[in-house]
Amino acid sequence: MVRENQLSSADLIWPLFITSGNSIEEPINSLPGVSRWSVDNIILRAKEAIALGIPCIALFPNTPADKRSADGVESTNPENLMCTAIRAIKSECGDDIGILTDVALDPYTSHGQDGLLNNDGYVMNDETIATLVDQALNQAQAGADIIAPSDMMDGRIGTIRKALEMNGYLNVQIMAYAAKYASAYYGPFRDAVGSTDLLKGDKTTYQMDYANSDEAMREVAMDINEGADSVMVKPGMPYLDIVHRVHEEFCIPVYAYQVSGEYAMIEAAVKAGSADREAIVLESLMGFKRAGASGILTYHAHYIATLLQG
Ligand code: PBG
């Protein structure tokens, strides 16, 4: 009766990894319990999400090695894995499920960075934005409901917003990865999209310094001013203070991404007998709600929605 927060399947966004082929499930070793699925299987996952009351899935492609290049141009191919999956899900499920698509070049580049490199290997902001716009339009054309730029280039939200409007995608939303930190918690994700072995160095020239909190507020303010419909804080559990500040300081939906390394830590603790899965997952997700998150991207979405449904 006096409980202040509730968790329901409507709070969840379920990240899913796509791979080529048919009838494929590829388990990801560093993310026990999470697999890459071929497009036909992704449709089944989308139908499960609908049955469980999960309103939205987030898609990430594991682009075949021969389609990765320095300029990541595969991201603009209408027949790429991402767009093929979007069209397949939309034709089977219509608007019963929301599709959120990641905009960044890292699953498509031969160097694993989210942007284009100059001769010194430095990620170039403005040149990258031009490609991100093409990528976003490509996803919108395929039927994406929410474009989620995760690249952390400055100015990309405004440019993508303008391009969406000019091309008639008036109802496509933007969820900006507004406060995304350069984090050691993304390790298993890079395995999942196949960029671990390609990536040299780190992403500290464009992702945020984890020592900073005021900077996150400036990043969020910029993305809102440029036309974001909602914002995201990432990673999740070590950054609940940021989620809370965004919730308090901006009247906009804020989502938290409980990222791959957080999921892997929980699963490792469960495997070692150090934690009870149900209890620890429920507590960690309620923590996001308490901090003020409107919703949570979590690899435990299917598990916890099943549990909540009884
Ligand atoms: C790509 C992207 C990353 C994640 C989501 N989109 C990785 C990165 O920035 O290196 C991480 C998600 C996770 O760890 O679960 N730009």
Side-chain angles (χ1 to χ4, degrees), residues 4-299:
E4 296 173 26
N5 293 287
Q6 310 293 334
L7 180 70
S8 84
S9 54
D11 294 314
L12 305 172
I13 299 176
W14 187 18
L16 290 166
F17 297 105
I18 321 160
T19 195
S20 338
N22 253 306
S23 311
I24 306 278
E25 173 180 7
E26 285 171 2
I28 301 157
N29 290 340
S30 55
L31 271 178
V34 178
S35 296
R36 302 182 198 97
W37 304 96
S38 51
V39 169
D40 54 328
N41 277 334
I42 286 276
I43 298 171
L44 303 180
R45 302 290 82 75
K47 288 182 175 171
E48 286 171 7
I50 295 167
L52 288 167
I54 296 172
C56 188
I57 54 176
L59 299 180
F60 300 94
N62 180 18
T63 306
D66 62 343
K67 298 207 163 122
R68 296 183 194 227
S69 57
D71 60 5
V73 70
E74 175 67 5
S75 66
T76 65
N77 174 4
E79 305 303 324
N80 68 18
L81 269 181
M82 178 71 108
C83 294
T84 308
I86 299 169
R87 281 192 301 269
I89 297 164
K90 281 292 167 189
S91 82
E92 288 272 331
C93 308
D95 284 334
D96 291 343
I97 189 86
I99 302 183
L100 182 146
T101 55
D102 201 77
V103 166
L105 295 185
D106 55 319
Y108 310 94
T109 52
S110 45
H111 46 70
Q113 291 287 1
D114 293 26
L116 304 175
L117 308 182
N118 69 11
N119 290 338
D120 300 327
Y122 192 91
V123 173
M124 301 183 288
N125 193 91
D126 295 6
E127 291 79 354
T128 297
I129 290 178
T131 308
L132 298 177
V133 167
D134 293 342
Q135 182 184 10
L137 288 174
N138 191 32
Q139 295 172 352
Q141 166 71 33
D145 297 295
I146 310 175
I147 302 286
S150 72
D151 50 280
M152 287 300 276
M153 299 303 128
D154 287 334
R156 87 279 202 221
I157 300 298
T159 315
I160 291 172
R161 177 86 270 164
K162 202 176 286 174
L164 289 173
E165 300 292 318
M166 281 174 47
N167 286 277
Y169 302 112
L170 307 179
N171 297 321
V172 173
Q173 291 190 32
I174 298 179
M175 181 187 290
Y177 284 71
K180 177 174 179 179
Y181 288 84
S183 172
Y185 287 93
Y186 305 149
F189 174 96
R190 292 178 189 166
D191 275 350
V193 299
S195 67
T196 306
D197 296 337
L198 304 174
L199 185 65
K200 289 175 199 68
D202 57 32
K203 301 190 177 182
T204 52
T205 63
Y206 48 104
Q207 298 181 352
M208 283 184 51
D209 178 356
Y210 53 66
N212 292 355
S213 170
D214 287 344
E215 185 187 7
M217 300 308 110
R218 296 196 294 276
E219 292 279 4
V220 168
M222 279 195 284
D223 286 355
I224 294 174
N225 284 337
E226 291 177 28
D229 298 283
S230 59
V231 294
M232 196 199 296
V233 173
K234 180 180 172 195
M237 291 198 289
Y239 297 86
L240 289 183
D241 58 322
I242 308 299
V243 174
H244 187 64
R245 274 192 77 177
V246 174
H247 172 66
E248 294 286 301
E249 295 180 28
F250 301 92
C251 296
I252 192 160
V254 53
Y255 293 83
Y257 198 146
Q258 185 178 50
V259 298
S260 56
E262 300 175 61
Y263 171 93
M265 286 197 315
I266 290 174
E267 286 301 312
V270 170
K271 189 166 178 221
S274 312
D276 174 70
R277 182 183 286 117
E278 180 177 328
I280 201 168
V281 173
L282 275 174
E283 183 179 338
S284 73
L285 296 180
M286 188 62 87
F288 290 106
K289 293 299 299 286
R290 195 185 60 248
S294 307
I296 309 125
L297 290 91
T298 174
Y299 300 97

